């Protein structure tokens, strides 16, 4: 079996799973209970939060635990919009975003918010001049992903953050779900960052929203105080501890893993470029963990199924996208609907071997010869 869909989710790391098991067995109390068992659980929880804060270089009070990146994105976007709508109802985002960003934006649009989408350049980077043109006094939120999930474009988040400094009523949300654990992430000039450990060998079912201290949010889920007032519910101690383990493991050796994956990606690109009907959609601004291609004139859903016959797993788009619709990020970059309808996303890991890549290329060749006329 060759798994090349690591951008969708990753196999859980043994140590992470063990942490989940050990903590679940060791602590039976609710961290918010005032008795001894509760307080023991709370100490364990606080220690995990402290370690996560240290690794990410944020304050403990800035960490909000959610059920995943989808909830973190919803909380950030709807939370800001509903808390600060007195300053304006204008929001800016991009066509590269994951459905967990575009979904809440559409919901807000239906409630009377105005959403503008900033253009992207041919290399996939946000057009900063267009962003400056779109920004207004009543813009309350800009939401841009650090790395998009389909083409893997890494945005110049720092530059965007600097531009937004001139707009004190405008908050900057960054969906860093495809960035954290793969590349070093700077939190400078960002108000809100979301991500989920299942993208880097953590468990599914937990996400994190980092919210700068001075920023307020209207909660999505109302109830009692949990670890913060912004998201209620009994804190999931074992998932939080496993998230801490996943974050610390992912940050180890991050540069070497990146270089290793870059070599795999180069090998893939070199070979795939030779096919006349293949177009590489990822650009020099893409991170090597994601390689997006189009195979002109064929159904990549069929191609994906054909690869599956060889026990090889890739995706056509982001796992959360509606099937048989064009890829919005690929369309935004290429402006070509046919290319956007025939995408294949190959996503890599430091666990992928060069032999895996060679086997993939071999099988790709067989599928191509069968399906492309
Ligand atoms: N944001 C991006 C960029 C993603 O790739 C994903 C997952 O595919 C999400 C958000 C949603 O993450 P989750 O599955 O944890 O809700």
């Amino acid at each position: 079996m060759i798994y090349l869909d690591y951008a969708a989710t990753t196999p859980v790391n043994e140590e992470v799973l063990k942490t989940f098991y050990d903590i679940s067995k060791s602590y039976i109390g609710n961290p918010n209970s005032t008795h001894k068992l509760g307080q023991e659980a709370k100490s364990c929880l606080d220690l995990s939060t402290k370690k996560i804060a240290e690794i990410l270089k944020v304050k403990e009070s800035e960490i909000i635990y959610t059920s995943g990146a989808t909830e973190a994105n919803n909380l950030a976007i709807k939370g800001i919009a509903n808390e600060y709508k007195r300053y304006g109802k204008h929001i800016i985002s991009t066509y590269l975003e994951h459905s967990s960003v575009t979904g809440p934006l559409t919901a807000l649009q239906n409630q009377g918010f105005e959403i503008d989408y900033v253009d992207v350049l041919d290399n996939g980077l946000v057009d900063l001049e267009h962003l400056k043109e779109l920004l207004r006094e009543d813009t309350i939120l800009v939401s841009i992903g650090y790395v998009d999930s389909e083409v893997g474009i890494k945005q110049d988040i720092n530059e965007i953050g600097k531009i937004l400094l001139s707009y004190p009523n405008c908050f900057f949300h960054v969906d860093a779900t495809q960035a954290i654990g793969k590349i070093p992430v700077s939190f400078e000039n960002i108000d809100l960052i979301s991500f989920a450990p299942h993208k880097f060998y953590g468990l599914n079912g937990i996400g994190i929203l980092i919210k700068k201290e001075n920023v307020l949010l209207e909660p999505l889920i109302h109830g009692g105080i949990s670890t913060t007032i912004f998201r209620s519910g009994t804190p999931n101690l074992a998932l939080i501890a496993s998230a801490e383990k996943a974050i610390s493991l992912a940050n180890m050796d991050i540069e070497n893993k990146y270089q290793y994956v870059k070599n795999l990606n180069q090998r893939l690109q070199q070979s795939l470029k030779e096919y006349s009907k293949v177009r590489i959609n990822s650009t020099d601004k893409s991170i090597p963990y994601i390689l997006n291609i189009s195979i002109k004139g064929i159904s990549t859903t069929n191609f994906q199924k054909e690869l599956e016959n060889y026990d090889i797993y890739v995706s056509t788009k982001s796992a959360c996208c509606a099937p048989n619709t064009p890829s919005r990020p690929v369309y935004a970059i290429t402006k070509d609907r046919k290319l956007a309808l025939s995408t294949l996303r190959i996503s890599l890991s430091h666990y992928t071997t060069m032999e895996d890549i060679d086997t993939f290329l071999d099988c790709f060749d067989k599928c191509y010869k069968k399906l492309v006329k």
Side-chain angles (χ1 to χ4, degrees):
M1 190 267 287
I2 298 178
Y3 184 71
L4 297 174
D5 198 16
Y6 289 92
T9 196
T10 56
V12 66
N13 175 286
E14 287 289 330
E15 281 184 63
V16 170
L17 198 55
K18 185 171 180 317
T19 302
F20 180 84
Y21 179 82
D22 290 347
I23 299 289
S24 300
K25 291 285 278 185
S26 308
Y27 297 91
I28 61 161
N30 180 330
N32 288 340
S33 295
T34 47
H35 52 64
K36 193 176 97 187
L37 292 180
Q39 291 311 292
E40 281 171 7
K42 176 143 183 13
S43 301
C44 178
L45 172 78
D46 288 347
L47 193 63
S48 285
T49 304
K50 188 166 178 284
K51 287 192 193 155
I52 294 174
E54 272 167 17
I55 299 169
L56 300 179
K57 300 189 181 65
V58 299
K59 294 182 183 154
E60 288 153 62
S61 57
E62 295 177 332
I63 296 174
I64 304 171
Y65 297 110
T66 66
S67 60
T70 297
E71 188 192 328
N73 284 338
N74 270 265
L75 176 57
I77 293 167
K78 292 181 189 160
I80 289 287
N82 289 322
E83 184 69 38
Y84 292 100
K85 56 187 173 212
R86 64 186 179 282
Y87 293 136
K89 288 187 148 192
H90 182 235
I91 298 175
I92 301 173
S93 188
T94 81
Y95 287 117
L96 303 177
E97 305 310 314
H98 187 261
S99 51
S100 57
V101 168
T102 55
L105 290 178
T106 307
L108 288 172
Q109 196 168 22
N110 293 336
Q111 291 166 27
F113 285 82
E114 194 186 337
I115 320 290
D116 268 321
Y117 291 92
V118 61
D119 292 342
V120 293
L121 306 170
D122 290 349
N123 62 7
L125 287 188
V126 163
D127 181 342
L128 298 182
E129 293 311 310
H130 189 222
L131 176 65
K132 287 178 199 161
E133 280 167 33
L134 289 177
L135 279 162
R136 312 190 314 214
E137 286 309 313
D138 64 340
T139 309
I140 52 164
L141 176 66
V142 170
S143 178
I144 296 179
Y146 218 110
V147 170
D148 82 276
S149 61
E150 290 193 35
V151 192
I153 307 288
K154 174 176 169 276
Q155 297 297 334
D156 199 344
I157 290 297
N158 209 14
E159 273 309 301
I160 298 171
K162 278 190 207 152
I163 294 171
L164 300 186
L165 288 179
S166 319
Y167 294 83
N169 291 338
C170 177
F171 295 94
F172 188 21
H173 166 242
V174 175
D175 175 3
T177 310
Q178 293 292 349
I180 295 214
K182 297 189 180 101
I183 55 170
V185 167
S186 153
F187 288 63
E188 213 181 333
N189 300 329
I190 302 176
D191 298 299
L192 303 127
I193 279 210
S194 19
F195 66 96
H198 76 94
K199 301 287 186 186
F200 47 88
Y201 317 97
L203 281 162
N204 198 2
I206 181 164
I208 290 182
L209 177 64
I210 307 289
K211 178 195 72 60
K212 290 286 161 70
E213 239 175 359
N214 58 332
V215 179
L216 291 175
L217 288 177
E218 163 82 23
L220 289 180
I221 296 171
H222 294 89
I225 295 174
S226 176
T227 56
T228 74
I229 55 168
F230 302 104
R231 208 281 196 174
S232 296
T234 301
N236 195 329
L237 174 59
L239 273 178
I240 292 168
S242 75
E244 179 237 308
K245 181 55 96 184
I247 294 168
S248 61
L249 289 172
N251 274 279
M252 274 179 203
D253 232 11
I254 198 162
E255 297 289 350
N256 283 339
K257 289 184 227 167
Y258 184 94
Q259 282 309 322
Y260 172 78
V261 171
K262 198 170 163 187
N263 281 340
L264 302 177
N265 184 303
Q266 276 167 354
R267 166 96 181 90
L268 268 178
Q269 290 211 34
Q270 261 166 16
S271 298
L272 293 175
K273 259 191 232 152
E274 299 299 317
Y275 294 88
S276 62
K277 296 276 168 60
V278 171
R279 184 197 192 269
I280 311 268
N281 298 318
S282 293
T283 76
D284 61 344
K285 301 297 174 194
S286 297
I287 61 164
Y289 288 88
I290 296 178
L291 180 64
N292 190 300
I293 64 169
S294 290
I295 311 174
K296 288 177 214 162
I298 70 137
S299 152
T300 34
T301 307
N302 289 346
F303 206 99
Q304 180 197 30
K305 286 200 187 109
E306 202 62 38
L307 281 169
E308 200 172 319
N309 293 335
Y310 294 99
D311 217 10
I312 294 177
Y313 301 89
V314 297
S315 66
T316 53
K317 291 183 289 175
S318 168
C320 305
C321 287
N324 303 320
T325 54
S327 154
R328 278 172 31 125
V330 171
Y331 186 74
I333 295 168
T334 64
K335 318 282 183 301
D336 184 323
R337 199 178 140 80
K338 280 193 180 152
L339 287 178
L341 273 165
S342 63
T343 54
L344 208 62
R345 180 185 69 177
I346 305 150
S347 48
L348 307 170
S349 156
H350 59 283
Y351 292 125
T352 310
T353 64
M354 207 45 109
E355 290 71 44
D356 291 337
I357 297 295
D358 287 341
T359 310
F360 166 79
L361 287 169
D362 205 34
C363 298
F364 182 94
D365 190 64
K366 290 183 184 127
C367 299
Y368 186 90
K369 284 180 177 143
K370 181 169 175 191
L371 295 176
V372 180
K373 299 289 170 239

